[in-house]
Amino acid sequence: MNVQEVAAQYGEYLIEKRRYFHQHPEVSTKEYHTSKAIKEALDEIGVSWRPCGLETGVLVTIQGAKPGKTILLRGDMDALTVQETTGAPYASKNEGIMHACGHDCHIAMLLTATRILHDMKEELCGTVKLAFQPAEEVALGAKSMVEQGALDGVDACFAIHVWTDVKSGMVSLEAGPRMASADEFHITVKGKGCHGAQPERGVDAAVVTAAIINNLQSVISREISPMDPAVVTVGTIQAGTRWNVVAENSYMTGTTRCFSNEVWETFEERMERVIKGTAEAYRAEAELEYLRIVPPTVNDEAVVSIAQKSAVAVLGENCLASNPATTGGEDFSYFMQRVPGAIALLGTGNEACGAVWPNHSGNFCVDEEQLLKGAMLYAQVAMDFNAQ
Ligand code: NI
């Protein structure tokens, strides 16, 4: 039996699960009902699992009969505070909450992959860990699963995201940067207030703020290679209290984005140097609080090359699509910081069934016909990676 033959009997199971989870979406970190339903489904299949990741994550282990490597397959399970407007018969029953990023599909595909791999244990090499991950949208789930040992003994990791911009029947499985980092920062400037007519008696935090914003842009233009796209954005500024008073303090918030781990690692140090140095030049003081929210998602070349062959085996000869990297973040990168891995974008865009809306839209929907291919891809990648 091969993966396709085993998967053929689970088409209805997958759709039924997908629609069930779609009807019962829950927001990040609060996936209690979802987690319970996943555990019940796993008990039905008869695989062993343990809680892992925040309060709702679940980690399954399937041991193959033959020796081999260990891979972790990940599916996320949280929904968004989006009002569903699809009018689908299986639309969300939870007012104002919707699986608008397709994580319902990921749960159903991973459950189906669990069934396939469980059925194929005799042919399976090594160990497969299947991670039902909470809280992707707030970038807390992957980190927590890693902290709770999900990657112990794991050689590689693999995830799938359903993707409208990739056409049905195709899959984007490409090496290198796929999604950007997304960090948050806060800058506080301390000057000295005085009469607006006598600036020499104070230290103007507003002028320091302007200089800091300008100088931060030179981190991008003069310190980072133009071949490595990166962004520093100051999104908010608060300074001063009155039109005729020199501002004593200022407060800024902003975000950084980049596609390489090397740049991501250095952002905080570079910014801190520029911010403190600029403040000092103006006789002020400044503090940077830099919050690392999510690293860039960079697909490993070796894992991609194996997974591409797996994709061709289950999706067919011409299934590999090319899709540009996106500036959205994906917390699967926390797994990929520790072990080599890849994320595949499974094509679910199909005009014929209205699957044209972007992720996070209230109209978001997928070409359900494609989901079994996602389950097969998960299973095939595990079979192939562990065997080599
Ligand atoms: Ni998503």
Side-chain angles (χ1 to χ4, degrees):
M1 293 280 262
N2 64 27
V3 166
Q4 278 163 303
E5 285 159 358
V6 176
Q9 60 191 307
Y10 295 131
E12 267 175 46
Y13 172 84
L14 187 153
I15 300 297
E16 184 214 306
K17 290 292 176 207
R18 187 262 156 159
R19 293 185 175 189
Y20 177 81
F21 288 110
H22 191 84
Q23 277 185 312
H24 302 94
E26 293 172 299
V27 296
S28 312
T29 75
K30 308 273 185 244
E31 311 91 341
Y32 299 112
H33 177 86
T34 306
S35 175
K36 189 167 165 273
I38 290 169
K39 290 166 189 165
E40 283 167 6
L42 293 171
D43 286 340
E44 245 171 65
I45 300 169
V47 288
S48 68
W49 56 266
R50 71 167 173 95
C52 179
L54 301 172
E55 293 178 351
T56 51
V58 185
L59 185 69
V60 178
T61 302
I62 297 178
Q63 187 68 56
K66 301 177 189 172
K69 292 192 172 166
T70 299
I71 193 167
L72 175 137
L73 306 175
R74 177 273 215 166
D76 42 7
M77 60 178 179
D78 51 335
L80 292 156
T81 49
V82 168
Q83 180 64 45
E84 177 154 5
T85 47
T86 61
Y90 52 86
S92 169
K93 287 183 173 174
N94 298 344
E95 187 67 20
I97 305 175
M98 179 192 175
H99 267 296
C101 199
H103 299 184
D104 50 338
C105 305
H106 304 164
I107 304 169
M109 294 190 310
L110 201 58
L111 278 176
T112 308
T114 306
R115 293 207 90 144
I116 299 169
L117 291 166
H118 181 63
D119 288 357
M120 296 183 74
K121 269 198 301 193
E122 291 306 312
E123 287 124 286
L124 177 66
C125 299
T127 307
V128 184
K129 297 195 177 193
L130 300 100
F132 293 87
Q133 185 211 299
E136 190 282 323
E137 299 288 355
V138 293
L140 293 174
K143 212 174 171 179
S144 175
M145 290 195 94
V146 172
E147 281 164 8
Q148 293 182 21
L151 287 176
D152 292 354
V154 169
D155 300 301
C157 58
F158 180 71
I160 300 178
H161 205 300
V162 292
W163 215 253
T164 308
D165 286 343
V166 178
K167 277 196 189 131
S168 281
M170 308 291 283
V171 61
S172 154
L173 234 173
E174 296 162 72
R178 304 307 296 144
M179 286 156 192
S181 65
D183 290 345
E184 177 182 334
F185 63 81
H186 301 244
I187 303 167
T188 310
V189 175
K190 217 172 151 350
K192 191 175 157 203
C194 64
H195 199 294
Q198 298 169 314
E200 77 282 6
R201 303 181 79 161
V203 174
D204 191 343
V207 170
V208 179
T209 300
I212 286 175
I213 293 171
N214 277 331
N215 290 346
L216 280 179
Q217 293 311 317
S218 70
V219 170
I220 305 296
S221 69
R222 301 291 90 176
E223 293 192 26
I224 295 170
S225 161
M227 307 311 283
D228 274 332
V231 172
V232 174
T233 292
V234 174
T236 72
I237 308 167
Q238 283 164 276
T241 52
R242 229 190 109 81
W243 66 278
N244 60 353
V245 172
V246 162
E248 177 152 328
N249 299 306
S250 88
Y251 178 64
M252 289 167 262
T253 63
T255 187
T256 65
R257 306 286 157 125
C258 68
F259 285 97
S260 95
N261 277 307
E262 292 68 34
V263 173
W264 188 66
E265 293 291 342
T266 63
F267 250 134
E268 180 172 2
E269 173 272 323
R270 291 179 198 276
M271 287 180 62
E272 180 143 54
R273 172 172 41 77
V274 169
I275 289 163
K276 293 210 156 156
T278 304
E280 202 192 332
Y282 289 82
R283 298 172 294 135
E285 282 170 28
E287 288 298 329
L288 168 69
E289 188 195 358
Y290 192 94
L291 307 169
R292 292 186 166 199
I293 309 290
V294 52
T297 302
V298 184
N299 277 356
D300 179 79
E301 220 163 288
V303 176
V304 163
S305 123
I306 294 166
Q308 281 181 339
K309 289 184 195 119
S310 312
V312 169
V314 290
L315 272 78
E317 211 39 61
N318 302 311
C319 70
L320 297 174
S322 154
N323 194 68
T326 75
T327 46
E330 163 60 76
D331 84 344
F332 183 58
S333 50
Y334 277 109
F335 290 104
M336 290 161 92
Q337 293 269 301
R338 298 276 293 271
V339 297
I343 186 165
L345 305 178
L346 179 73
T348 51
N350 185 351
E351 264 179 56
C353 61
V356 295
W357 302 89
N359 298 45
H360 297 206
S361 152
N363 286 324
F364 178 78
C365 64
V366 302
D367 178 0
E368 276 186 330
E369 294 285 306
Q370 306 306 315
L371 301 182
L372 193 61
K373 292 177 187 163
M376 291 193 287
L377 182 59
Y378 269 132
Q380 190 69 51
V381 168
M383 301 288 292
D384 294 346
F385 178 83
N386 285 5
Q388 40 102 45

